């Protein structure tokens, strides 16, 4: 009785995970963002695990194939095209071939080794799922506005860390900035520090020259050094405010460089924006400017969904070759748990074997 309950539970979970996998693809297509594809990866990984469990636990071959056929046909809820049937048939063919290889290996084994057995069919399973994913993606987006398919890069904290790592090599003082990220004005000051040279005599002279128009001629070298520190630190060093001359000079320099960054970003920058956010906007703007001329050509824009679908297929196959090993390991763990709870039995039976003498 327990074995029957286990078998029907596997069937229900496999069909449910198939549905959730196709649903996650539909949501990822409608919300094109790099992070939205994490959910499909999770669902398809679980789907892969239960396909592996079905292959080794369900003895009736026709039930295995029927369960996979139903799971794949559920994708038609989200894709209303006859062409998708071709992908379903090809996908099922690859997975049925995987089942044949797995079952054949189980029959030939003298001692059960799920790691070896499931690895014989994992490539075929990944290939079948990759065909389904790329087909659903292409058929869902082919009639949508191509501009919506252009990926938008939310590089946020990653870019902030990357920028921090890069600039810290130029100026060690950058390490003292907030963990939340560098602002535009802070980056400009750091760049200016690097150009002038931190505490060198030449730096002092250059800063002193930059203040000549604001300062009187009798300003001493010591005073110039103090003003330079105010200029870069944004305070008098004693918790007070900067002198008017330093404030004006600082704001003039920041405003000039900030204006240049504003032209690149395509919007006015106030200086308190995070560098990572500005870089993200610049990258997306460059991508839009690069792809927009192509979108104007209807023939070329019609090919873009197909090109992206091919890229997704190659990506899924490449990523699946790695994640499938983890899926096999998880399937083995679940299988072992079933054995511990005596839902599955492993018995020894006599078998004849041909040898060459």
């Amino acid at each position: 009785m327990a074995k029957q309950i286990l078998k029907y539970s596997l069937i229900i979970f496999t069909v449910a995970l198939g549905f959730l996998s196709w649903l996650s693809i539909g949501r990822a297509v409608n919300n094109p963002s790099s992070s939205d594809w994490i959910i499909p990866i999770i669902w398809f990984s679980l789907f892969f695990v239960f396909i592996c469990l079905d292959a080794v636990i369900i003895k009736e071959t026709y039930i295995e194939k029927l369960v996979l056929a139903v799971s794949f046909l559920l994708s038609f809820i989200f894709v209303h095209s006859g062409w998708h049937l071709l992908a379903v048939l090809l996908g099922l063919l690859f997975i049925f071939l995987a089942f044949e290889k797995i079952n054949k290996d189980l029959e030939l084994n003298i001692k059960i080794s799920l790691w070896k057995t499931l690895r014989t069919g994992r490539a075929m399973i990944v290939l079948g799922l990759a065909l389904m994913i790329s087909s659903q993606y292409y058929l869902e987006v082919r009639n949508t506005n191509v501009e919506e398919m252009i990926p938008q890069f939310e590089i946020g904290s990653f870019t902030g860390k990357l920028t921090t790592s890069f600039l810290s090599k130029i100026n060690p003082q950058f390490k003292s900035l907030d963990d939340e990220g560098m602002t535009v004005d802070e980056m400009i000051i750091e760049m200016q520090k690097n150009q002038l040279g931190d505490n060198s005599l030449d730096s002092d002279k250059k800063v002193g020259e930059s203040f000549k128009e604001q300062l009187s001629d009798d300003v001493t070298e010591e005073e110039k050094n103090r003003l330079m520190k105010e200029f870069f630190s944004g305070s008098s060093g004693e918790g007070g405010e900067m002198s008017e001359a330093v404030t004006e000079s600082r704001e003039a320099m920041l405003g000039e460089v900030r204006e240049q960054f504003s032209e690149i970003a395509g919007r006015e920058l106030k200086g308190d924006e995070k560098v990572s956010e500005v870089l993200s906007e610049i990258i997306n703007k460059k991508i839009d400017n690069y792809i927009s001329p192509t979108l104007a050509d209807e023939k070329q824009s019609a090919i873009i969904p197909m090109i992206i679908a091919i890229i997704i297929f190659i990506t899924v196959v490449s990523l699946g070759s790695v994640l499938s090993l983890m899926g096999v390991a998880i399937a083995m763990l679940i299988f072992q748990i079933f054995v511990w709870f005596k839902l599955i039995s492993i018995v020894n039976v006599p078998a004849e074997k041909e040898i060459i003498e």
Side-chain angles (χ1 to χ4, degrees):
M1 183 65 179
K3 293 182 179 179
Q4 288 296 107
I5 294 175
L6 175 61
K7 181 175 70 174
Y8 291 121
S9 297
L10 287 175
I11 292 173
I12 293 172
F13 274 106
T14 302
V15 174
L17 287 170
F19 172 79
L20 292 172
S21 298
W22 315 131
L23 174 64
S24 65
I25 292 294
R27 290 183 174 178
V29 170
N30 295 326
N31 300 285
S33 171
S34 57
S35 59
D36 289 333
W37 286 92
I38 298 298
I39 302 301
I41 290 174
I42 294 173
W43 286 124
F44 275 100
S45 297
L46 293 174
F47 191 28
F48 174 88
V49 169
F50 274 82
I51 290 175
C52 291
L53 291 173
D54 292 342
V56 296
I57 294 177
I58 299 177
K59 299 300 181 181
E60 299 87 346
T61 304
Y62 73 93
I63 293 181
E64 293 177 345
K65 294 180 178 179
L66 181 60
V67 170
L68 262 295
V70 172
S71 300
F72 275 35
L73 288 173
L74 286 175
S75 62
F76 277 99
I77 296 176
F78 311 99
V79 180
H80 308 100
S81 173
W83 288 105
H84 189 57
L85 181 61
L86 180 61
V88 170
L89 294 176
L90 287 175
L92 287 174
L93 175 62
F94 282 118
I95 295 185
F96 290 167
L97 289 174
F99 282 172
E100 293 294 328
K101 296 179 70 173
I102 291 173
N103 291 330
K104 188 68 175 178
D105 190 80
L106 283 174
E107 292 175 3
L108 296 177
N109 282 341
I110 295 178
K111 185 176 179 62
I112 292 177
S113 174
L114 288 185
W115 178 254
K116 179 177 72 71
T117 299
L118 292 177
R119 284 174 61 196
T120 61
R122 71 184 181 92
M124 289 291 187
I125 297 175
V126 170
L127 193 59
L129 293 177
L131 277 171
M132 290 290 295
I133 293 171
S134 55
S135 173
Q136 180 175 343
Y137 176 85
Y138 170 73
L139 293 172
E140 282 202 54
V141 304
R142 63 175 180 171
N143 295 325
T144 60
N145 188 352
V146 185
E147 293 181 359
E148 297 178 0
M149 290 184 288
I150 301 175
Q152 298 295 308
F153 293 91
E154 299 295 337
I155 54 182
S157 60
F158 173 76
T159 303
K161 293 180 180 178
L162 187 63
T163 305
T164 303
S165 176
F166 174 75
L167 292 180
S168 63
K169 295 178 181 178
I170 299 176
N171 190 343
Q173 293 183 6
F174 176 73
K175 296 179 181 178
S176 63
L177 294 176
D178 292 341
D179 294 334
E180 295 181 358
M182 175 184 260
T183 64
V184 173
D185 281 354
E186 288 171 339
M187 183 184 68
I188 295 172
I189 293 297
E190 293 296 327
M191 292 172 59
Q192 191 70 9
K193 281 185 181 180
N194 183 63
Q195 291 175 359
L196 295 178
D198 283 338
N199 293 316
S200 65
L201 181 60
D202 289 340
S203 173
D204 297 343
K205 292 180 179 179
K206 290 176 182 177
V207 174
E209 292 174 359
S210 67
F211 292 153
K212 278 183 180 179
E213 294 182 0
Q214 292 84 15
L215 303 176
S216 59
D217 296 336
D218 59 352
V219 175
T220 64
E221 192 72 19
E222 182 179 354
E223 184 68 9
K224 290 179 181 179
N225 290 336
R226 187 184 67 79
L227 293 174
M228 181 191 71
K229 291 180 181 179
E230 285 188 28
F231 182 87
F232 285 132
S233 65
S235 67
S236 65
E238 300 176 354
E241 297 181 354
M242 292 183 294
S243 62
E244 183 179 353
V246 176
T247 301
E248 292 178 358
S249 179
R250 181 186 174 94
E251 288 302 319
M253 184 273 293
L254 289 174
E256 182 179 352
V257 181
R258 197 187 301 143
E259 185 177 352
Q260 297 175 5
F261 279 110
S262 298
E263 293 178 0
I264 299 174
R267 68 181 181 91
E268 184 179 357
L269 300 177
K270 297 180 180 179
D272 57 351
E273 298 87 354
K274 298 295 176 60
V275 174
S276 58
E277 296 176 357
V278 176
L279 288 176
S280 178
E281 293 179 11
I282 293 174
I283 291 173
N284 288 322
K285 181 181 178 182
K286 293 297 182 183
I287 292 174
D288 291 340
N289 292 339
Y290 179 78
I291 297 180
S292 293
T294 304
L295 300 180
D297 189 334
E298 293 183 0
K299 293 183 179 180
Q300 293 185 21
S301 63
I303 299 175
I304 290 179
M306 185 177 296
I307 294 175
I308 297 177
I310 293 173
I311 293 173
I312 289 177
F313 174 80
I314 296 172
T315 302
V316 171
V317 171
S318 302
L319 185 62
S321 64
V322 177
L323 293 180
S324 61
L325 292 175
M326 186 184 301
V328 169
I330 295 174
M332 290 174 58
L333 177 61
I334 296 175
F335 182 87
Q336 190 60 48
I337 292 173
F338 291 158
V339 173
W340 288 339
F341 284 94
K342 297 182 179 181
L343 298 175
I344 300 173
S345 301
I346 298 177
V347 297
N348 293 321
V349 295
E352 296 183 357
K353 180 181 178 182
E354 292 183 346
I355 61 172
I356 299 175
E357 294 184 346

